[in-house]
Amino acid sequence: MPQNASKRVFIKTYGCQMNVYDSDRMADALAPHGYMPTQEIGEADLVLLNTCHIREKASEKVFSELGRLKELQGEKRAAGGDMMIGVAGCVAQAEGEEIARRAPVVDLVFGPQAYHRLPDMLARAQSQRHMHPALKKAVIDTDFPEEDKFAHLPAARKEATIARGLTAFLTVQEGCDKFCSFCVVPYTRGAEVSRPVSQVLDEARLLVDAGVKEITLLGQNVNAYHGTDGAGRDIGLGELCYLLAEIPGLERLRYTTSHPRDMDDGLIAAHRDLPLLMPYLHLPVQSGSDRILKAMNRKHTAAEYLSLIERIKAARPDMALSGDFIVGFPGETDQDFEDTLTIIRDTGYASAYSFKYSTRPGTPGANLGDQVPEEIKTERLYRLQELVNQQTTAFHASMVGKTLPVLVERVGRMPGQVGGRSPYLQAVHLEGATDLIGAIRQVEIIGTSTNSLVGRLVRASAA
Ligand code: 5AD
Ligand code: SF4
């Protein structure tokens, strides 16, 4: 037990699943130092904002949140209490000192590569609190590491491992070397780094021992994973999946986010061979126009993407796809946009995320002329989303009459109901007792509602 478990930390997470995972790791790193997580910001002794810098005015959102926190801190101090404030994540990495300068209320600013140093930073920030405000300086750590942060984080984890339910994220790879011209990630998360195989397997076993049935492997470029095993061999993501599949009790495996260029034969073979690898793949293409793909530095064509999808479906015929799209990249013409609609029709997505291009300072895209006017971006986004929504609705409808394995995860919205997920991450509601929670059961899909499926337990089924 931590010596002084009386403190509370509130972590607010913005952005992607990697940030969700990182927030949990921060909580783990703090637990042995007496900080327990709270969902109540009012009772927090420490508030951490785990920020995202991917799009829009992300840093402005952080500054307005800091304004609110300053007020809350004022109220707490007036009542004889106090609260420390830290900014983590990709805005912290990108803006560093600027945050501390503009918002002196902040005690700590630290990037994604510094999370294992959090307890130490916190101790330093605490010693500053007794200083005169004019002398007080925020503790800032936005260095890229010389040491491997993952080698330090799991130690804290073991002590603090709490069952996180039936599904969990596991970061296997971080950073990006691709330099798509719109994207800030190579600058905020740094170069591609893969965790050693043994570390990944150990963490997966820990999660499964804590009751987890489904693991989603995370990485900004997860299929660029190249870890090293005990014998010094290079292991790709496909091979890693075969190794994870041997863990008794692990029933489902997913990974996200992938780049088409890293979808190699080994990974496609894993989809062919491993039933636990779910037939649902997030494989962003961003645009269907070869001209725009080139300007985005994606290093593949629309035709190459489509033939890749064919190869994947040949290996795993029930594979469903999701994607990301950017509309209004500089220079995007009506014809380029039509090409994007065409690739969406040709691929057929189960779901997709789509965004208006937003200029990220420091990226090559920021220096391009020929920006697309806002109202054209809005219209294109609307048309694209309409097409994707039709595909999503059709995909859900195509499930009716099928029997799907459903991981039952929680009590349902209505009494006597439980809820779970299909292999395609669709929410499924069904009549059933709560003792089904944790099991994978065969469920016949009998209907759909807006964003979910309605099912009926197939009796006497062994999943
Ligand atoms: N503008 C709009 N969308 C972006 N994305 C990444 N950078 C930008 C940007 N500058 C989208 C891409 C990526 C997803 C995570 O966010 O579609 O796949
Ligand atoms: Fe946001 Fe990308 Fe950083 Fe995730 S990696 S927090 S999506 S900028």
Side-chain angles (χ1 to χ4, degrees):
M1 270 302 279
Q3 309 99 7
N4 168 15
S6 60
K7 295 211 175 102
R8 293 280 181 272
V9 56
F10 177 93
I11 308 181
K12 180 162 179 177
T13 309
Y14 301 82
C16 64
Q17 291 148 333
M18 177 89 71
N19 267 9
V20 175
Y21 176 88
D22 285 344
S23 291
D24 281 348
R25 296 294 76 70
M26 285 190 250
D28 285 347
L30 287 171
H33 298 268
Y35 283 87
M36 291 294 134
T38 176
Q39 309 298 326
E40 258 309 315
I41 196 164
E43 65 176 33
D45 303 285
L46 170 67
V47 174
L48 297 176
L49 304 180
N50 191 5
T51 61
C52 173
H53 203 231
I54 193 91
R55 286 176 294 271
E56 292 157 16
K57 303 186 180 72
S59 50
E60 290 314 309
K61 274 192 226 161
V62 173
F63 284 112
S64 67
E65 181 69 32
L66 287 171
R68 284 194 287 277
L69 288 177
K70 189 176 175 192
E71 274 178 39
L72 183 62
Q73 189 191 57
E75 287 165 22
K76 286 201 132 191
R77 286 188 174 164
D82 205 356
M83 183 175 92
M84 296 181 78
I85 298 170
V87 180
C90 294
V91 177
Q93 185 65 45
E95 310 245 334
E97 303 255 352
E98 177 68 9
I99 297 177
R101 201 182 57 74
R102 273 183 62 185
V105 68
V106 170
D107 298 288
L108 297 156
V109 179
F110 54 104
Q113 303 307 327
Y115 295 162
H116 58 298
R117 294 194 284 267
L118 178 54
D120 171 52
M121 286 186 269
L122 199 57
R124 279 190 285 145
Q126 249 148 0
S127 67
Q128 297 254 344
R129 293 193 71 74
H130 307 293
M131 289 188 183
H132 188 275
L135 296 173
K136 197 192 119 197
K137 278 182 92 172
V139 174
I140 298 175
D141 190 340
T142 51
D143 289 345
F144 280 104
E146 274 154 36
E147 83 272 18
D148 169 16
K149 74 169 175 182
F150 290 116
H152 297 265
L153 281 171
R157 266 191 59 76
K158 276 183 193 115
E159 240 174 275
T161 299
I162 3 167
R164 292 203 163 83
L166 296 160
T167 61
F169 296 128
L170 198 175
T171 294
V172 299
Q173 179 280 338
E174 191 172 358
C176 180
D177 296 344
K178 299 269 183 320
F179 292 92
C180 299
S181 58
F182 53 82
C183 190
V184 78
V185 167
Y187 312 95
T188 59
R189 290 277 175 174
E192 280 174 13
V193 178
S194 294
R195 295 176 71 183
V197 173
S198 62
Q199 243 186 52
V200 173
L201 294 178
D202 284 350
E203 190 165 328
R205 284 191 203 101
L206 206 71
L207 292 167
V208 173
D209 286 349
V212 166
K213 307 267 188 220
E214 171 178 312
I215 291 180
T216 302
L217 308 176
L218 295 182
Q220 267 95 27
N221 253 291
V222 72
N223 59 344
Y225 176 85
H226 277 283
T228 315
D229 72 3
R233 277 194 326 135
D234 178 79
I235 304 285
L237 187 66
E239 253 186 289
L240 184 70
C241 290
Y242 285 97
L243 295 172
L244 286 161
E246 284 169 24
I247 297 177
L250 180 61
E251 309 215 28
R252 287 182 164 186
L253 196 55
R254 305 177 186 276
Y255 59 90
T256 195
T257 287
S258 298
H259 193 292
R261 297 226 348 146
D262 291 314
M263 221 47 228
D264 62 15
D265 291 342
L267 186 51
I268 295 175
H271 279 288
R272 179 194 62 210
D273 297 340
L274 301 174
L276 100 164
L277 196 51
M278 289 292 101
Y280 185 62
L281 178 62
H282 186 64
L283 196 60
V285 68
Q286 315 294 356
S287 167
S289 152
D290 287 344
R291 228 173 53 79
I292 296 295
L293 286 169
K294 192 163 193 323
M296 286 177 164
N297 196 29
R298 294 290 290 180
K299 300 200 179 83
H300 65 77
T301 62
E304 281 162 351
Y305 180 81
L306 289 169
S307 76
L308 172 63
I309 303 280
E310 257 177 47
R311 279 169 51 221
I312 296 168
K313 286 196 167 168
R316 182 84 205 226
D318 59 345
M319 180 67 80
L321 289 146
S322 91
D324 288 342
F325 294 91
I326 296 176
V327 299
F329 186 80
E332 186 186 71
T333 62
D334 284 343
Q335 184 54 51
D336 293 321
F337 176 65
E338 291 304 325
D339 291 348
T340 297
L341 296 181
T342 302
I343 206 169
I344 294 174
R345 285 190 202 99
D346 289 349
T347 305
Y349 287 94
S351 80
Y353 303 91
S354 47
F355 314 98
K356 291 184 205 174
Y357 172 71
S358 88
T359 304
R360 303 285 72 206
T363 61
N367 302 324
L368 297 173
D370 212 2
Q371 294 284 331
V372 175
E374 188 61 25
E375 57 286 3
I376 294 185
K377 286 188 198 169
T378 305
E379 194 215 304
R380 286 180 186 167
L381 187 70
Y382 178 81
R383 284 184 59 203
L384 190 156
Q385 290 183 340
E386 210 172 28
L387 175 59
V388 166
N389 287 344
Q390 282 167 12
Q391 294 194 337
T392 302
T393 307
F395 181 71
H396 287 334
S398 75
M399 298 290 132
V400 176
K402 288 195 174 134
T403 296
L404 300 177
V406 170
L407 172 58
V408 183
E409 288 174 24
R410 59 188 165 272
V411 294
R413 279 176 288 192
M414 308 288 179
Q417 271 195 352
V418 286
R421 296 259 168 202
S422 78
Y424 310 108
L425 276 183
Q426 296 152 300
V428 184
H429 304 284
L430 59 142
E431 302 281 314
T434 51
D435 61 4
L436 288 174
I437 292 172
I440 295 181
R441 298 298 296 265
Q442 295 295 331
V443 172
E444 185 193 347
I445 305 304
I446 54 176
T448 63
S449 63
T450 331
N451 275 319
S452 59
L453 305 178
V454 184
R456 184 165 52 203
L457 205 58
V458 176
R459 298 271 153 208
S461 70

